[in-house]
Each structure stands twice: as structure tokens, then as C-alpha cells.
Amino acid sequence: MVNFKFVSKIAPGLRLTVGICAFILALLVYWRSKDFYRNSQPIKPDQSTNAQILEKTLTASQIIEEIRHSNYTRIESGKLLAVAHTQLNEVAELLGHHQSYTSQSKLASNKQIKEVCPESFQHNEKSQDIYFRRGGFKLQKCTDVPEFHTLLTLVYNFVHYDSKYFQHIPSIFHDVNKLYPNIRIIAAIPDTLTLNQADYKDTTIIQLKKSEAESSIWRNLIDRVQTKYVYIGRNVIKFTWFDRLERLVREIGNLEASVVSGAYRTLVSGVWSNGCEQSTLSNYQLVYRHGYVISMEECLVCHHVQGPFVAKKSLFQEVAVKAGVSSTSAFAIWFLKLKNLDKTVVSCPDAMAIVTDESQQLESTHRQWRDLAFHLQVLCSS
């Protein structure tokens, strides 16, 4: 029998005493060594600098202890060590050692081919609009990247939506056309709903029966994609500029990620979530813990994301979505496979999708998770 558990947040206990003392002692010895000061002048840290050194040293020590006492994969451990590496470099600079160290991950990211224009932080004091006066990260204009609509296709599966949401589907298409001209949409709708495909630009509408399994429909839609990237619009019911598709595509390259998601908010109740979960499968229990341990470029490293996401189409060829099961089970199985392959999955909460309220109820729906339990060859209890 398998139990599906959802824990509200992660609060791992860190056993730091021995690690911190040993780490600080080693750092002080290294600080005073002749080699450390070979190319720099000794300095006497003031009280503020000492506080920063202590804070960064403790952070690095906590990360090392976290790796020692937790069951992380090789890639996850490497990312944590990269964070500790950064903290130690900053300590070295505070101590007067200005030699820079470049990690292999940064060298690798520098070799990435730029596909999306970068962002820059903007602040407009003269704006009459309070929101825009606060500013934020804005997309820069550039000419050395491919046109965005040639990179990404948006895929939606509306077949199993509640009929009360059908009225929102045309608005989704129109809003995508308005915000991202020329970007292609592939959508499945129930055969009981009639929409004129000619009313929407660059949109392919497929009518399917509700009797067809959700995951089989997703496979059908993904197979039709001809661009490098695909946006899986799970449970989406409204499209806005908060979706920030460029941000999601950019981080696949920057973070060498396989999947990049955003946060989401339910349409009616307004429940917000970063959608990031960690999963553990052991002793006939599949446990999902909401939260994260590692973050990179304001994105959270996850094992499973609940919201819509962007991935390379080639990823679905490498790791296929299981056919003939519910959407919840299909993507849960898919993300477990990605975890076993050490693929990087992240959620960037500064992007946000708007989804159906029912999507928040799936975690407790026996029917949706039953297919996953059968796939794992265990029994499922409600």
C-alpha cells in the first residue's frame, strides 16, 4: 500500500556544531598562511567585515552539513557546493585576497548560445502608475537572437475542463495572439464545444472525446510541435503578461535546466503557490514536500512542479509521457523519471500563470493518483 503525503514546507535539521568549528579553524589557518597573501596586502577586518565573514562562513558550513546529512543526488550536491563556493570567494575578498575563481558551471553557462534577449532592472520615478514607478526587470531590445515565435509553441489540453471554464478559452487564444504575435498555439477541446479556428491567428484546434485519456491527448499535442521548445499549459484558464515566456525559455539555457516553470494563482479563489515540490519514494510511500533547498537566479530547484512549464521538445522524445493515464499521474511519473536521470527542474516564481481552482484539489483526488500507484506496482489507499 502506498501513501501520498503532502508536507507544507521543508525544515531540515542541520547538525552544524562540529562542522562550523572545523571549518572556521581551517579558514583562519588558511587566512594566515603565506600563500594566501602572496599577491595581496594583509588587512585588519573591522567589526562590520567580521560580521560579514562570520555570516558567509556559517552559510557555507550549513550547506556542507546539509550535503553530508541529506540524500541529495550528484547534481543537487554539485549545485549546493557551487553556492558554498561563491560564499567562500566572497570571504576571501573580504580578507583581502582578490584572486577570482570561476566555477565550471559558470564557464559552461557562458558557452550557451543566447536565444532570448536579456533583462535589465528599470526604475521610473516619473511614471504616474504606482506599479510601473516601482519598476522591475524589463526585456531589453536586441537583434542577435531568433524571433521568439520560432522557438516556442504553446500547447493546451481543454478536453477535460469543467464546462464552466469553456467561456474563457477564446480569451486565452486572443490574449496570446495579442501579447505574442505569430507564436503558434496547439489546443485540444472537447468535441461538444465548437470554436472557429479561423478566428484565432496561428492556432490549431483539435476536437477530441472526453473518453480519451488525458495523457494520450498530451502526447498527441506534443507530437505536433515543430519548435525547439514547448509550453505545457496545464490547467491554464487565463493568459497574461505575468506568464513571462521569455524568462522561462531563457532560464533553460542559463541554468542548463530540463524544465522551467513559474508560480501560479487560481482564477477564483486567488490561491498562490510557487508550485515547487521535493519528492521521496521509499518504503512504499511517495512523499511530496512543498518547498525548496537550492535556488539559482531567483529560481527554485524542484523535483516536481505543479504549474505550467516550458521544456525542450527533445526531452519528451527522450522521456515520453506515459499514455492512457490521468494527467496528474502522467506528469508525476514523468517528473520521477527526470529525477532519476538527474535532470534539473526549476520554478521561477516571478513568472506566474493563472489556473483553474480544481487544479488545487488534484493532490487529494484518489482517481487522479491511482494510475501512478499502479505504475509503481503498489496499492493506493485513499
Side-chain angles (χ1 to χ4, degrees):
M1 181 176 297
V2 65
N3 293 322
F4 298 94
K5 296 184 178 180
F6 295 83
V7 183
S8 60
K9 65 178 182 178
I10 297 176
L14 301 178
R15 292 168 286 182
L16 299 176
T17 306
V18 177
I20 291 175
C21 293
F23 192 87
I24 293 176
L25 179 61
L27 181 63
L28 291 176
V29 171
Y30 189 63
W31 172 28
R32 293 180 179 276
S33 68
K34 181 179 179 180
D35 290 339
F36 188 82
Y37 284 102
R38 181 175 298 168
N39 297 318
S40 59
Q41 295 297 322
I43 63 172
K44 295 182 179 180
D46 57 22
Q47 186 174 359
S48 174
T49 302
N50 281 332
Q52 293 182 55
I53 291 172
L54 179 59
E55 178 185 0
K56 295 180 183 301
T57 302
L58 289 175
T59 299
S61 182
Q62 288 174 354
I63 291 172
I64 293 171
E65 286 295 303
E66 178 75 10
I67 295 172
R68 287 179 57 198
H69 299 290
S70 300
N71 186 25
Y72 290 119
T73 65
R74 176 178 54 81
I75 288 183
E76 290 171 335
S77 298
K79 289 170 182 174
L80 277 172
L81 286 173
V83 176
H85 176 273
T86 300
Q87 295 294 318
L88 294 180
N89 272 342
E90 293 175 359
V91 170
E93 291 179 2
L94 290 170
L95 293 173
H97 186 66
H98 300 291
Q99 180 179 352
S100 61
Y101 300 90
T102 305
S103 65
Q104 291 183 355
S105 60
K106 289 184 177 180
L107 287 174
S109 64
N110 289 337
K111 295 179 181 179
Q112 292 289 333
I113 299 175
K114 184 170 69 173
E115 295 179 316
V116 181
C117 293
E119 292 177 317
S120 62
F121 186 81
Q122 298 178 8
H123 188 69
N124 185 3
E125 292 288 351
K126 297 181 179 181
S127 175
Q128 299 299 315
D129 188 288
I130 294 178
Y131 176 81
F132 286 103
R133 191 184 307 163
R134 289 168 54 193
F137 284 94
K138 307 294 182 183
L139 193 67
Q140 296 179 1
K141 292 183 179 180
C142 61
T143 57
D144 56 344
V145 298
E147 294 186 62
F148 191 65
H149 72 270
T150 65
L151 293 174
L152 181 69
T153 299
L154 278 57
V155 172
Y156 297 101
N157 178 4
F158 301 115
V159 175
H160 296 88
Y161 276 33
D162 190 296
S163 59
K164 66 183 178 183
Y165 292 118
F166 289 170
Q167 60 180 322
H168 297 282
I169 296 176
S171 297
I172 294 174
F173 297 156
H174 285 307
D175 290 338
V176 172
N177 292 160
K178 180 180 178 180
L179 292 171
Y180 291 92
N182 302 320
I183 203 166
R184 192 178 179 201
I185 303 170
I186 304 177
I189 63 174
D191 56 359
T192 56
L193 178 64
T194 302
L195 293 177
N196 185 5
Q197 182 170 296
D199 293 339
Y200 315 103
K201 186 179 179 182
D202 299 304
T203 301
T204 300
I205 297 176
I206 307 164
Q207 290 183 302
L208 297 171
K209 295 182 179 297
K210 281 193 173 184
S211 58
E212 188 167 350
E214 292 172 284
S215 64
S216 298
I217 295 174
W218 281 115
R219 286 171 58 102
N220 182 351
L221 298 175
I222 293 169
D223 286 343
R224 297 169 182 263
V225 172
Q226 297 180 350
T227 52
K228 181 177 180 179
Y229 300 100
V230 55
Y231 173 82
I232 305 297
R234 292 189 298 171
N235 306 310
V236 171
I237 200 56
K238 189 174 182 180
F239 189 87
T240 69
W241 64 272
F242 286 114
D243 285 85
R244 300 187 66 194
L245 300 181
E246 293 94 345
R247 161 81 159 144
L248 303 184
V249 172
R250 185 188 302 109
E251 293 308 324
I252 287 183
N254 288 352
L255 303 178
E256 298 183 5
S258 296
V259 171
V260 178
S261 175
Y264 63 86
R265 180 179 70 83
T266 55
L267 179 66
V268 178
S269 61
V271 175
W272 182 93
S273 173
N274 59 36
C276 183
E277 294 175 341
Q278 313 302 319
S279 63
T280 303
L281 177 60
S282 63
N283 297 327
Y284 299 99
Q285 288 190 338
L286 176 59
V287 180
Y288 287 95
R289 294 173 179 261
H290 183 73
Y292 67 99
V293 176
I294 310 170
S295 65
M296 303 179 293
E297 297 192 6
E298 289 78 44
C299 295
L300 322 176
V301 179
C302 320
H303 292 153
H304 179 275
V305 291
Q306 290 187 358
F309 62 86
V310 170
K312 291 182 180 179
K313 185 190 174 181
S314 59
L315 181 64
F316 291 97
Q317 297 169 338
E318 178 184 353
V319 184
V321 174
K322 183 176 177 62
V325 299
S326 69
S327 179
T328 301
S329 288
F331 285 111
I333 294 168
W334 191 70
F335 280 113
L336 285 173
K337 290 180 179 178
L338 295 185
K339 178 186 176 182
N340 291 335
L341 293 172
D342 278 341
K343 300 291 188 180
T344 300
V345 176
V346 301
S347 171
C348 304
D350 51 352
M352 184 184 72
I354 298 178
V355 300
T356 63
D357 284 59
E358 283 75 8
S359 62
Q360 277 289 289
Q361 303 169 9
L362 293 180
E363 64 185 36
S364 59
T365 302
H366 182 279
R367 178 183 60 84
Q368 288 286 335
W369 291 100
R370 182 178 56 200
D371 294 324
L372 172 60
F374 289 157
H375 173 79
L376 299 175
Q377 297 183 347
V378 292
L379 295 176
C380 178
S381 63
S382 57

